[in-house]
Each structure stands twice: as structure tokens, then as C-alpha cells.
Short mmCIF file of all heavy atoms in Angstrom, two decimals:
data_model
loop_
_atom_site.label_atom_id
_atom_site.label_comp_id
_atom_site.label_asym_id
_atom_site.label_seq_id
_atom_site.Cartn_x
_atom_site.Cartn_y
_atom_site.Cartn_z
N LYS U 1433 0.83 -1.19 0.00
CA LYS U 1433 0.00 0.00 0.00
C LYS U 1433 0.87 1.25 0.00
O LYS U 1433 2.09 1.16 -0.15
CB LYS U 1433 -0.95 -0.05 1.20
CG LYS U 1433 -1.87 -1.28 1.17
CD LYS U 1433 -2.65 -1.46 2.45
CE LYS U 1433 -3.81 -0.50 2.55
NZ LYS U 1433 -4.89 -0.86 1.62
N ASP U 1434 0.25 2.41 0.17
CA ASP U 1434 0.98 3.68 0.02
C ASP U 1434 2.21 3.78 0.93
O ASP U 1434 3.28 4.24 0.51
CB ASP U 1434 0.05 4.87 0.23
CG ASP U 1434 -0.77 4.76 1.52
OD1 ASP U 1434 -0.57 3.80 2.29
OD2 ASP U 1434 -1.61 5.66 1.76
N ASN U 1435 2.07 3.31 2.18
CA ASN U 1435 3.19 3.42 3.11
C ASN U 1435 4.39 2.56 2.68
O ASN U 1435 5.55 2.96 2.86
CB ASN U 1435 2.76 3.02 4.51
CG ASN U 1435 1.89 4.08 5.17
OD1 ASN U 1435 2.14 5.26 5.01
ND2 ASN U 1435 0.87 3.66 5.89
N HIS U 1436 4.10 1.37 2.12
CA HIS U 1436 5.19 0.53 1.62
C HIS U 1436 5.92 1.22 0.46
O HIS U 1436 7.15 1.20 0.37
CB HIS U 1436 4.66 -0.82 1.13
CG HIS U 1436 3.93 -1.61 2.19
ND1 HIS U 1436 2.57 -1.56 2.34
CD2 HIS U 1436 4.38 -2.48 3.13
CE1 HIS U 1436 2.22 -2.36 3.34
NE2 HIS U 1436 3.29 -2.92 3.82
N ILE U 1437 5.13 1.82 -0.41
CA ILE U 1437 5.70 2.43 -1.62
C ILE U 1437 6.50 3.67 -1.27
O ILE U 1437 7.63 3.88 -1.75
CB ILE U 1437 4.58 2.74 -2.63
CG1 ILE U 1437 3.98 1.41 -3.14
CG2 ILE U 1437 5.11 3.57 -3.79
CD1 ILE U 1437 2.64 1.55 -3.81
N TRP U 1438 5.97 4.50 -0.38
CA TRP U 1438 6.71 5.70 0.03
C TRP U 1438 8.01 5.32 0.74
O TRP U 1438 9.02 6.00 0.59
CB TRP U 1438 5.86 6.55 0.97
CG TRP U 1438 4.62 7.11 0.33
CD1 TRP U 1438 4.43 7.36 -1.01
CD2 TRP U 1438 3.41 7.49 0.97
NE1 TRP U 1438 3.17 7.86 -1.23
CE2 TRP U 1438 2.52 7.96 -0.03
CE3 TRP U 1438 2.98 7.49 2.30
CZ2 TRP U 1438 1.24 8.41 0.26
CZ3 TRP U 1438 1.70 7.95 2.59
CH2 TRP U 1438 0.84 8.41 1.59
N SER U 1439 7.96 4.25 1.49
CA SER U 1439 9.15 3.86 2.26
C SER U 1439 10.27 3.32 1.38
O SER U 1439 11.45 3.40 1.75
CB SER U 1439 8.77 2.79 3.29
OG SER U 1439 7.85 3.31 4.23
N THR U 1440 9.91 2.75 0.24
CA THR U 1440 10.93 2.18 -0.64
C THR U 1440 11.27 3.09 -1.82
O THR U 1440 12.26 2.85 -2.53
CB THR U 1440 10.47 0.82 -1.19
OG1 THR U 1440 9.18 0.96 -1.79
CG2 THR U 1440 10.40 -0.22 -0.09
N GLY U 1441 10.47 4.11 -2.06
CA GLY U 1441 10.78 5.07 -3.11
C GLY U 1441 9.98 4.94 -4.38
O GLY U 1441 9.79 5.91 -5.09
N SER U 1442 9.52 3.72 -4.69
CA SER U 1442 8.72 3.54 -5.91
C SER U 1442 7.97 2.22 -5.86
O SER U 1442 8.31 1.32 -5.08
CB SER U 1442 9.61 3.56 -7.15
OG SER U 1442 10.40 2.38 -7.23
N ILE U 1443 6.96 2.11 -6.71
CA ILE U 1443 6.20 0.86 -6.82
C ILE U 1443 7.12 -0.25 -7.30
O ILE U 1443 7.09 -1.37 -6.77
CB ILE U 1443 5.02 1.05 -7.79
CG1 ILE U 1443 3.96 1.96 -7.16
CG2 ILE U 1443 4.42 -0.30 -8.18
CD1 ILE U 1443 2.85 2.37 -8.08
N THR U 1444 7.93 0.03 -8.28
CA THR U 1444 8.83 -0.99 -8.84
C THR U 1444 9.79 -1.52 -7.79
O THR U 1444 10.00 -2.74 -7.67
CB THR U 1444 9.62 -0.41 -10.03
OG1 THR U 1444 8.69 0.05 -11.02
CG2 THR U 1444 10.54 -1.45 -10.63
N ALA U 1445 10.37 -0.62 -7.00
CA ALA U 1445 11.32 -1.03 -5.96
C ALA U 1445 10.62 -1.87 -4.89
O ALA U 1445 11.17 -2.87 -4.41
CB ALA U 1445 11.97 0.19 -5.33
N ALA U 1446 9.41 -1.47 -4.52
CA ALA U 1446 8.66 -2.20 -3.49
C ALA U 1446 8.32 -3.61 -3.96
O ALA U 1446 8.46 -4.59 -3.22
CB ALA U 1446 7.39 -1.44 -3.13
N ILE U 1447 7.91 -3.73 -5.22
CA ILE U 1447 7.58 -5.05 -5.77
C ILE U 1447 8.82 -5.93 -5.84
O ILE U 1447 8.78 -7.12 -5.49
CB ILE U 1447 6.93 -4.90 -7.16
CG1 ILE U 1447 5.53 -4.31 -7.03
CG2 ILE U 1447 6.87 -6.25 -7.89
CD1 ILE U 1447 4.83 -4.05 -8.35
N LYS U 1448 9.94 -5.36 -6.26
CA LYS U 1448 11.18 -6.13 -6.37
C LYS U 1448 11.60 -6.68 -5.00
O LYS U 1448 11.98 -7.85 -4.88
CB LYS U 1448 12.29 -5.26 -6.95
CG LYS U 1448 13.61 -5.99 -7.16
CD LYS U 1448 14.65 -5.09 -7.80
CE LYS U 1448 15.97 -5.84 -8.03
NZ LYS U 1448 16.99 -4.95 -8.65
N GLN U 1449 11.53 -5.85 -3.97
CA GLN U 1449 11.91 -6.30 -2.64
C GLN U 1449 10.96 -7.37 -2.11
O GLN U 1449 11.39 -8.35 -1.50
CB GLN U 1449 11.95 -5.11 -1.68
CG GLN U 1449 13.12 -4.17 -1.92
CD GLN U 1449 13.25 -3.13 -0.81
OE1 GLN U 1449 13.00 -3.42 0.35
NE2 GLN U 1449 13.63 -1.91 -1.17
N ALA U 1450 9.67 -7.16 -2.34
CA ALA U 1450 8.67 -8.13 -1.87
C ALA U 1450 8.85 -9.49 -2.55
O ALA U 1450 8.78 -10.54 -1.91
CB ALA U 1450 7.27 -7.60 -2.11
N ARG U 1451 9.11 -9.47 -3.86
CA ARG U 1451 9.30 -10.72 -4.61
C ARG U 1451 10.53 -11.48 -4.12
O ARG U 1451 10.56 -12.71 -4.13
CB ARG U 1451 9.45 -10.43 -6.09
CG ARG U 1451 8.17 -10.08 -6.81
CD ARG U 1451 7.25 -11.26 -6.94
NE ARG U 1451 6.11 -10.96 -7.81
CZ ARG U 1451 4.94 -11.56 -7.74
NH1 ARG U 1451 4.74 -12.48 -6.80
NH2 ARG U 1451 3.98 -11.25 -8.56
N SER U 1452 11.55 -10.75 -3.68
CA SER U 1452 12.80 -11.40 -3.28
C SER U 1452 12.63 -12.27 -2.05
O SER U 1452 13.39 -13.20 -1.83
CB SER U 1452 13.88 -10.34 -3.02
OG SER U 1452 13.61 -9.60 -1.84
N VAL U 1453 11.62 -11.98 -1.22
CA VAL U 1453 11.39 -12.78 -0.01
C VAL U 1453 10.10 -13.60 -0.09
O VAL U 1453 9.98 -14.65 0.52
CB VAL U 1453 11.38 -11.90 1.26
CG1 VAL U 1453 12.76 -11.34 1.53
CG2 VAL U 1453 10.35 -10.77 1.15
N GLY U 1454 9.13 -13.12 -0.86
CA GLY U 1454 7.85 -13.82 -0.94
C GLY U 1454 7.86 -15.02 -1.85
O GLY U 1454 7.06 -15.94 -1.69
N GLY U 1455 8.76 -15.01 -2.81
CA GLY U 1455 8.87 -16.14 -3.73
C GLY U 1455 7.69 -16.27 -4.68
O GLY U 1455 6.88 -15.36 -4.83
N PHE U 1456 7.58 -17.46 -5.28
CA PHE U 1456 6.57 -17.68 -6.32
C PHE U 1456 5.19 -18.02 -5.76
O PHE U 1456 4.19 -17.94 -6.47
CB PHE U 1456 7.02 -18.83 -7.24
CG PHE U 1456 6.95 -20.18 -6.59
CD1 PHE U 1456 5.80 -20.95 -6.68
CD2 PHE U 1456 8.04 -20.68 -5.87
CE1 PHE U 1456 5.74 -22.20 -6.06
CE2 PHE U 1456 7.97 -21.91 -5.26
CZ PHE U 1456 6.82 -22.68 -5.35
N SER U 1457 5.12 -18.42 -4.49
CA SER U 1457 3.87 -18.99 -3.98
C SER U 1457 2.88 -17.96 -3.44
O SER U 1457 1.73 -18.30 -3.16
CB SER U 1457 4.18 -20.01 -2.88
OG SER U 1457 4.80 -19.38 -1.77
N LEU U 1458 3.32 -16.70 -3.29
CA LEU U 1458 2.43 -15.67 -2.77
C LEU U 1458 2.03 -14.69 -3.85
O LEU U 1458 2.87 -14.16 -4.58
CB LEU U 1458 3.12 -14.91 -1.62
CG LEU U 1458 3.31 -15.65 -0.30
CD1 LEU U 1458 4.09 -14.79 0.67
CD2 LEU U 1458 1.96 -16.03 0.30
N LEU U 1459 0.72 -14.41 -3.93
CA LEU U 1459 0.25 -13.37 -4.84
C LEU U 1459 0.66 -12.01 -4.30
O LEU U 1459 0.82 -11.81 -3.10
CB LEU U 1459 -1.27 -13.43 -4.98
CG LEU U 1459 -1.85 -14.64 -5.70
CD1 LEU U 1459 -3.37 -14.60 -5.67
CD2 LEU U 1459 -1.36 -14.69 -7.14
N LEU U 1460 0.82 -11.05 -5.21
CA LEU U 1460 1.25 -9.72 -4.85
C LEU U 1460 0.21 -8.71 -5.32
O LEU U 1460 -0.08 -8.59 -6.50
CB LEU U 1460 2.60 -9.42 -5.47
CG LEU U 1460 3.44 -8.33 -4.81
CD1 LEU U 1460 4.91 -8.51 -5.15
CD2 LEU U 1460 2.98 -6.94 -5.21
N ASP U 1461 -0.40 -8.01 -4.35
CA ASP U 1461 -1.47 -7.04 -4.60
C ASP U 1461 -0.90 -5.65 -4.32
O ASP U 1461 -0.36 -5.40 -3.24
CB ASP U 1461 -2.65 -7.35 -3.67
CG ASP U 1461 -3.92 -6.60 -4.04
OD1 ASP U 1461 -3.83 -5.57 -4.73
OD2 ASP U 1461 -5.01 -7.04 -3.62
N VAL U 1462 -1.03 -4.74 -5.27
CA VAL U 1462 -0.45 -3.40 -5.12
C VAL U 1462 -1.55 -2.35 -5.23
O VAL U 1462 -2.32 -2.33 -6.19
CB VAL U 1462 0.63 -3.13 -6.19
CG1 VAL U 1462 1.21 -1.73 -6.00
CG2 VAL U 1462 1.73 -4.18 -6.12
N GLU U 1463 -1.60 -1.47 -4.23
CA GLU U 1463 -2.58 -0.38 -4.21
C GLU U 1463 -2.05 0.80 -5.02
O GLU U 1463 -0.92 1.25 -4.81
CB GLU U 1463 -2.84 0.03 -2.77
CG GLU U 1463 -3.82 1.20 -2.63
CD GLU U 1463 -3.90 1.68 -1.20
OE1 GLU U 1463 -3.05 2.51 -0.79
OE2 GLU U 1463 -4.80 1.22 -0.48
N VAL U 1464 -2.88 1.32 -5.93
CA VAL U 1464 -2.49 2.48 -6.73
C VAL U 1464 -3.63 3.50 -6.73
O VAL U 1464 -4.78 3.16 -6.43
CB VAL U 1464 -2.16 2.08 -8.19
CG1 VAL U 1464 -1.02 1.07 -8.22
CG2 VAL U 1464 -3.39 1.52 -8.90
N THR U 1465 -3.29 4.73 -7.08
CA THR U 1465 -4.31 5.79 -7.07
C THR U 1465 -4.42 6.53 -8.40
O THR U 1465 -5.12 7.53 -8.50
CB THR U 1465 -3.99 6.82 -5.96
OG1 THR U 1465 -2.68 7.36 -6.18
CG2 THR U 1465 -4.05 6.15 -4.58
N SER U 1466 -3.71 6.03 -9.43
CA SER U 1466 -3.76 6.69 -10.73
C SER U 1466 -3.45 5.69 -11.84
O SER U 1466 -2.94 4.59 -11.59
CB SER U 1466 -2.75 7.84 -10.80
OG SER U 1466 -1.42 7.33 -10.79
N GLU U 1467 -3.72 6.10 -13.07
CA GLU U 1467 -3.42 5.24 -14.22
C GLU U 1467 -1.91 4.99 -14.32
O GLU U 1467 -1.48 3.87 -14.61
CB GLU U 1467 -3.92 5.90 -15.50
CG GLU U 1467 -3.63 5.09 -16.75
CD GLU U 1467 -4.06 5.79 -18.03
OE1 GLU U 1467 -5.00 6.61 -17.97
OE2 GLU U 1467 -3.45 5.52 -19.08
N ALA U 1468 -1.11 6.01 -14.09
CA ALA U 1468 0.35 5.88 -14.21
C ALA U 1468 0.88 4.87 -13.19
O ALA U 1468 1.74 4.05 -13.51
CB ALA U 1468 1.01 7.23 -14.01
N GLU U 1469 0.37 4.94 -11.95
CA GLU U 1469 0.81 4.00 -10.93
C GLU U 1469 0.37 2.58 -11.27
O GLU U 1469 1.12 1.63 -11.07
CB GLU U 1469 0.25 4.41 -9.57
CG GLU U 1469 0.88 5.67 -8.99
CD GLU U 1469 0.32 6.03 -7.63
OE1 GLU U 1469 -0.65 5.38 -7.18
OE2 GLU U 1469 0.85 6.96 -7.01
N ALA U 1470 -0.84 2.44 -11.80
CA ALA U 1470 -1.34 1.11 -12.18
C ALA U 1470 -0.47 0.52 -13.30
O ALA U 1470 -0.12 -0.66 -13.28
CB ALA U 1470 -2.79 1.21 -12.64
#
């Protein structure tokens, strides 16, 4: 969500970090507030 993204600097960075520990078995849901973020 917004706090995760602000803390890491970008949506892309947050997703990359989450994937590195979550692996293939967990779905990843990202909250966005605009077309560009989506």
C-alpha cells in the first residue's frame, strides 16, 4: 500500500523487494491511485 511504496521510493522497488522474499507462492497485490501508478 501507500506506506510501503513511500518507504521504498517507488512501486517498482517495493515489488522487487517483496518478490525477493515472498517467492513464487504468494500473490502480490499493489494499491495504486492513478493510471500511471497502475
Side-chain angles (χ1 to χ4, degrees):
K1433 300 171 77 72
D1434 50 4
N1435 286 321
H1436 301 94
I1437 293 163
W1438 295 335
S1439 297
T1440 53
S1442 71
I1443 290 172
T1444 302
I1447 289 177
K1448 183 177 181 180
Q1449 288 189 36
R1451 284 290 189 206
S1452 71
V1453 292
F1456 71 91
S1457 63
L1458 288 176
L1459 291 176
L1460 202 158
D1461 192 339
V1462 180
E1463 178 187 85
V1464 301
T1465 58
S1466 69
E1467 179 184 333
E1469 290 181 353

